[in-house]
Coordinates of all heavy atoms in Angstrom, one line a residue:
A1 N 94.5 136.4 88.3 CA 95.0 135.6 87.2 C 96.2 134.8 87.5 O 96.4 133.7 87.2 CB 95.2 136.4 85.9
V2 N 97.2 135.5 88.1 CA 98.4 134.9 88.4 C 98.3 133.7 89.3 O 98.8 132.6 89.1 CB 99.4 135.9 89.0 CG1 100.7 135.2 89.5 CG2 99.8 136.9 88.0
P3 N 97.5 133.8 90.4 CA 97.3 132.6 91.3 C 96.6 131.4 90.5 O 96.9 130.3 90.7 CB 96.4 133.1 92.4 CG 96.7 134.5 92.5 CD 96.9 135.0 91.1
I4 N 95.7 131.8 89.6 CA 95.0 130.8 88.8 C 96.0 130.1 87.9 O 96.0 128.8 87.8 CB 93.8 131.4 88.0 CG1 92.7 131.8 89.0 CG2 93.3 130.4 87.0 CD1 91.6 132.5 88.3
L5 N 96.8 130.9 87.3 CA 97.9 130.3 86.4 C 98.8 129.4 87.2 O 99.2 128.3 86.7 CB 98.6 131.4 85.7 CG 97.9 132.2 84.6 CD1 98.8 133.3 84.1 CD2 97.4 131.3 83.5
Y6 N 99.2 129.8 88.4 CA 100.0 129.0 89.2 C 99.3 127.7 89.6 O 99.9 126.6 89.6 CB 100.4 129.7 90.5 CG 101.6 130.6 90.4 CD1 101.5 132.0 90.6 CD2 102.8 130.1 90.0 CE1 102.6 132.8 90.5 CE2 103.9 130.9 89.8 CZ 103.8 132.3 90.1 OH 104.9 133.1 89.9
E7 N 98.0 127.8 89.9 CA 97.2 126.6 90.2 C 97.1 125.6 89.0 O 97.3 124.4 89.2 CB 95.8 127.0 90.7 CG 95.8 127.6 92.0 CD 94.4 128.1 92.4 OE1 93.5 127.9 91.6 OE2 94.2 128.6 93.5
I8 N 96.9 126.2 87.8 CA 96.8 125.3 86.6 C 98.1 124.7 86.4 O 98.2 123.5 86.1 CB 96.3 126.2 85.4 CG1 94.9 126.6 85.6 CG2 96.4 125.4 84.1 CD1 94.4 127.6 84.5
G9 N 99.2 125.5 86.4 CA 100.5 124.9 86.2 C 100.9 123.8 87.2 O 101.4 122.8 86.9
G10 N 100.5 124.1 88.5 CA 100.8 123.1 89.6 C 100.0 121.8 89.4 O 100.5 120.7 89.6
A11 N 98.7 122.0 88.9 CA 97.9 120.8 88.7 C 98.4 120.0 87.5 O 98.5 118.7 87.6 CB 96.5 121.3 88.4
I12 N 98.9 120.6 86.4 CA 99.4 119.9 85.3 C 100.7 119.2 85.7 O 100.9 118.0 85.4 CB 99.7 120.9 84.1 CG1 98.4 121.4 83.6 CG2 100.5 120.2 83.0 CD1 98.5 122.5 82.5
L13 N 101.6 119.9 86.4 CA 102.8 119.3 86.9 C 102.6 118.1 87.8 O 103.2 117.0 87.7 CB 103.7 120.3 87.6 CG 105.0 119.8 88.2 CD1 105.9 119.4 87.0 CD2 105.7 120.9 88.9
L14 N 101.6 118.2 88.7 CA 101.2 117.2 89.6 C 100.7 116.0 88.9 O 101.0 114.8 89.2 CB 100.2 117.6 90.7 CG 99.7 116.6 91.7 CD1 100.9 116.0 92.5 CD2 98.7 117.2 92.6
W15 N 99.9 116.2 87.9 CA 99.3 115.1 87.1 C 100.4 114.4 86.3 O 100.4 113.2 86.3 CB 98.2 115.7 86.1 CG 97.7 114.7 85.2 CD1 98.0 114.4 83.9 CD2 96.6 113.7 85.6 NE1 97.3 113.3 83.4 CE2 96.4 112.9 84.4 CE3 95.9 113.5 86.7 CZ2 95.5 111.9 84.4 CZ3 95.0 112.4 86.7 CH2 94.8 111.7 85.5
V16 N 101.3 115.1 85.7 CA 102.4 114.5 84.9 C 103.3 113.7 85.8 O 103.5 112.5 85.5 CB 103.2 115.5 84.1 CG1 104.4 114.9 83.4 CG2 102.3 116.2 83.1
V17 N 103.7 114.3 86.9 CA 104.6 113.6 87.8 C 103.8 112.4 88.5 O 104.4 111.3 88.6 CB 105.1 114.5 88.9 CG1 105.9 113.8 90.0 CG2 106.0 115.6 88.3
G18 N 102.5 112.6 88.8 CA 101.8 111.5 89.4 C 101.6 110.3 88.5 O 101.7 109.2 88.9
R19 N 101.4 110.6 87.2 CA 101.3 109.5 86.2 C 102.6 108.7 86.1 O 102.6 107.5 85.9 CB 100.8 110.0 84.8 CG 99.4 110.6 84.8 CD 98.4 109.6 85.3 NE 98.4 108.4 84.4 CZ 97.7 107.3 84.7 NH1 96.9 107.2 85.7 NH2 97.7 106.2 83.8
I20 N 103.7 109.4 86.1 CA 105.0 108.8 86.0 C 105.2 107.9 87.3 O 105.7 106.8 87.2 CB 106.1 109.8 85.9 CG1 106.0 110.6 84.6 CG2 107.5 109.2 86.0 CD1 106.9 111.7 84.4
V21 N 104.8 108.4 88.4 CA 105.0 107.7 89.7 C 104.1 106.5 89.7 O 104.5 105.4 90.1 CB 104.7 108.6 90.9 CG1 104.7 107.8 92.2 CG2 105.7 109.7 91.0
I22 N 102.9 106.6 89.2 CA 101.9 105.5 89.2 C 102.5 104.4 88.2 O 102.4 103.2 88.5 CB 100.5 105.9 88.7 CG1 99.9 106.8 89.8 CG2 99.6 104.7 88.4 CD1 98.6 107.4 89.4
G23 N 103.0 104.8 87.1 CA 103.6 103.8 86.2 C 104.8 103.1 86.8 O 104.9 101.9 86.6
A24 N 105.6 103.8 87.6 CA 106.8 103.2 88.2 C 106.3 102.3 89.3 O 106.9 101.2 89.5 CB 107.7 104.3 88.8
I25 N 105.3 102.6 90.1 CA 104.7 101.8 91.1 C 104.2 100.5 90.5 O 104.4 99.4 91.0 CB 103.7 102.5 91.9 CG1 104.3 103.6 92.8 CG2 103.0 101.5 92.9 CD1 103.4 104.5 93.5
R26 N 103.5 100.7 89.4 CA 102.9 99.5 88.7 C 103.9 98.5 88.2 O 103.8 97.3 88.4 CB 102.0 100.0 87.5 CG 101.2 98.8 86.9 CD 100.2 99.3 85.9 NE 99.5 98.2 85.3 CZ 98.4 98.4 84.5 NH1 98.0 99.6 84.2 NH2 97.8 97.4 84.0
R27 N 105.0 99.1 87.7 CA 106.1 98.2 87.2 C 106.8 97.5 88.4 O 107.2 96.4 88.3 CB 107.1 99.0 86.4 CG 106.6 99.4 85.0 CD 107.7 100.0 84.2 NE 108.2 101.2 84.7 CZ 107.7 102.4 84.4 NH1 106.7 102.6 83.6 NH2 108.2 103.5 85.0
G28 N 106.9 98.3 89.5 CA 107.6 97.7 90.7 C 106.7 96.6 91.3 O 107.3 95.6 91.7
V29 N 105.4 96.8 91.3 CA 104.5 95.7 91.8 C 104.6 94.5 90.9 O 104.7 93.4 91.4 CB 103.1 96.2 91.9 CG1 102.1 95.1 92.1 CG2 102.9 97.3 92.9
H30 N 104.6 94.7 89.6 CA 104.7 93.6 88.7 C 106.0 92.8 88.9 O 106.0 91.6 89.0 CB 104.7 94.1 87.2 CG 104.7 93.0 86.2 ND1 103.6 92.4 85.7 CD2 105.8 92.5 85.5 CE1 103.9 91.5 84.8 NE2 105.3 91.5 84.7
I31 N 107.2 93.5 89.0 CA 108.4 92.8 89.2 C 108.5 92.1 90.5 O 108.9 91.0 90.6 CB 109.6 93.8 89.1 CG1 109.7 94.4 87.7 CG2 110.9 93.2 89.5 CD1 110.7 95.5 87.5
S32 N 107.9 92.8 91.6 CA 108.0 92.2 92.9 C 107.1 90.9 93.0 O 107.5 89.9 93.5 CB 107.4 93.2 93.9 OG 107.4 92.6 95.2
L33 N 105.9 90.9 92.3 CA 105.1 89.7 92.4 C 105.6 88.6 91.5 O 105.5 87.4 91.8 CB 103.7 90.1 91.9 CG 102.9 91.1 92.8 CD1 101.5 91.4 92.2 CD2 102.7 90.5 94.2
E34 N 106.3 89.0 90.4 CA 106.9 88.0 89.5 C 108.1 87.3 90.3 O 108.2 86.0 90.2 CB 107.5 88.6 88.3 CG 106.4 88.7 87.1 CD 107.1 89.0 85.8 OE1 108.2 89.5 85.8 OE2 106.5 88.8 84.8

């Protein structure tokens, strides 16, 4: 159970951080192209 909980927590953390990074990259691309 503990490794599974770690995996779930790591997956949630990766998803949240990944979405933030994707949003920042998208804004950076927009500013750079403008």
Side-chain angles (χ1 to χ4, degrees):
V2 173
I4 292 176
L5 291 176
Y6 276 122
E7 289 177 356
I8 294 175
I12 295 175
L13 180 62
L14 178 60
W15 177 260
V16 173
V17 174
R19 293 302 302 172
I20 295 174
V21 172
I22 291 174
I25 293 175
R26 184 170 181 173
R27 288 190 296 271
V29 170
H30 182 87
I31 295 173
S32 177
L33 295 178
E34 273 193 341

